[in-house]
Amino acid sequence: GIGGDFNIFNVGGFDGSNPFEIEDSDEKKYYLVSMAPPGSEPPPQYTIYFEDFAQDNGTFVESTEGVTPFPAVYSERNQTWRMEGDGEGPSTNYLTSPYIDIPAHTDIQISLNHRYSMEHEWDGATIQVSVNYGPFRALPGSRFTDFGYDVDSLNGKHALKNQEAFSGDSDGFYENEFITSSAMLRELKVQSTLRIRLVAAWDEVDIGSGSPNWEINSIMLQSAGMDQGELSDSPPIIIGGTSEHISKNAPVTHVHLA
């Protein structure tokens, strides 16, 4: 029933708050719609992907390696992914997103809403990214704008040894509060394919005192805009306005400076 020329992009999340979003009730897929002619760029700032695991596990893929690893578990009750930790390590947990299509040349802001309690400086967790089916690479701490890594180099003998990581107790962990860690991914090309992998690693003996050691509430990818002629001068943050997605455990809100 919609007329005219539209660009339709699969963005993986619909909450009715964005005037550019519609829901395909037959396919249960989610789209961003603009009145721009076919082949043109979508609006400069928009949500590319949002998953809060309220309906299911988000088709994230869990895998482990190590001595006696405990798998990451999707909790239907809490609607989160949870990693309990392993004191019989070394062990590693991997939680990998579906493939995410990038519909335009853009910088990406990755926002992870989570909480953690990891043995400080020994166990830890990190965000890794794969672009266009390439190898996963850790997102550097220098790319974070909010609640970045706590440790520059982990000491534990595991897969994240000597790497930057979330470690220790996140703010408000023991009050069941979640934080939003935000980081920039630069200069994604149109039709790029992205995957996010969340990695946690433990050495032997001790683990974090809180349970679970890592809990994932939601993950969001937003376009941060880009000057098409000057890719290297693209803005460091999303410019202007407020974006908000209400998750069942915590609001994921970003207020951006004009």
Side-chain angles (χ1 to χ4, degrees):
I2 300 175
D5 293 328
F6 289 82
N7 286 329
I8 301 178
F9 302 97
N10 188 337
V11 299
F14 176 83
D15 62 10
S17 64
N18 187 332
F20 294 106
E21 292 179 338
I22 62 172
E23 180 175 12
D24 182 334
S25 59
D26 294 326
E27 298 294 334
K28 298 300 182 185
K29 295 179 181 178
Y30 308 96
Y31 300 93
L32 175 74
V33 181
S34 77
M35 289 296 292
S40 63
E41 297 296 330
Q45 301 160 21
Y46 54 95
T47 298
I48 294 172
Y49 175 85
F50 178 70
E51 178 60 69
D52 71 351
F53 312 109
Q55 301 299 320
D56 52 35
N57 65 11
T59 65
F60 274 55
V61 177
E62 187 278 332
S63 60
T64 59
E65 63 182 19
V67 178
T68 56
F70 297 166
V73 175
Y74 172 68
S75 169
E76 293 184 358
R77 176 181 178 182
N78 295 296
Q79 299 174 344
T80 58
W81 276 97
R82 299 161 64 93
M83 301 181 191
E84 293 296 344
D86 180 14
E88 303 295 328
S91 65
T92 310
N93 281 44
Y94 301 95
L95 190 60
T96 307
S97 76
Y99 292 99
I100 302 166
D101 294 330
I102 307 301
H105 294 284
T106 185
D107 288 351
I108 299 294
Q109 179 172 279
I110 300 174
S111 299
L112 178 68
N113 192 244
H114 63 143
R115 67 187 190 115
Y116 52 87
S117 178
M118 312 282 281
E119 184 188 8
H120 188 235
E121 296 185 344
W122 294 90
D123 304 334
T126 190
I127 303 174
Q128 297 182 346
V129 176
S130 167
V131 179
N132 293 332
Y133 308 97
F136 282 98
R137 301 184 186 280
L139 195 60
S142 59
R143 298 291 183 89
F144 283 84
T145 57
D146 292 295
F147 291 104
Y149 298 137
D150 306 282
V151 173
D152 292 333
S153 180
L154 287 174
N155 297 320
K157 296 180 180 179
H158 46 57
L160 297 181
K161 181 177 175 60
N162 297 328
Q163 295 188 36
E164 298 174 293
F166 303 114
S167 188
D169 296 329
S170 60
D171 288 356
F173 179 89
Y174 292 100
E175 289 73 45
N176 293 318
E177 295 177 358
F178 291 80
I179 63 170
T180 300
S181 297
S182 298
M184 295 300 301
L185 188 61
R186 298 292 191 180
E187 301 179 15
L188 271 294
K189 308 299 184 183
V190 63
Q191 297 182 345
S192 294
T193 299
L194 187 69
R195 292 188 91 182
I196 307 297
R197 186 166 73 174
L198 308 177
V199 184
W202 292 265
D203 61 7
E204 63 279 0
V205 186
D206 293 325
I207 62 173
S209 57
S211 178
N213 272 195
W214 199 16
E215 186 169 20
I216 311 302
N217 185 50
S218 68
I219 186 167
M220 176 166 60
L221 274 62
Q222 293 174 289
S223 165
M226 177 176 285
D227 183 338
Q228 297 298 310
E230 300 180 12
L231 300 184
S232 62
D233 294 331
S234 50
I237 60 173
I238 298 177
I239 304 300
T242 301
S243 63
E244 181 174 26
H245 287 266
I246 302 300
S247 183
K248 67 282 159 189
N249 293 309
V252 184
T253 306
H254 303 277
V255 179
H256 309 297
L257 302 178

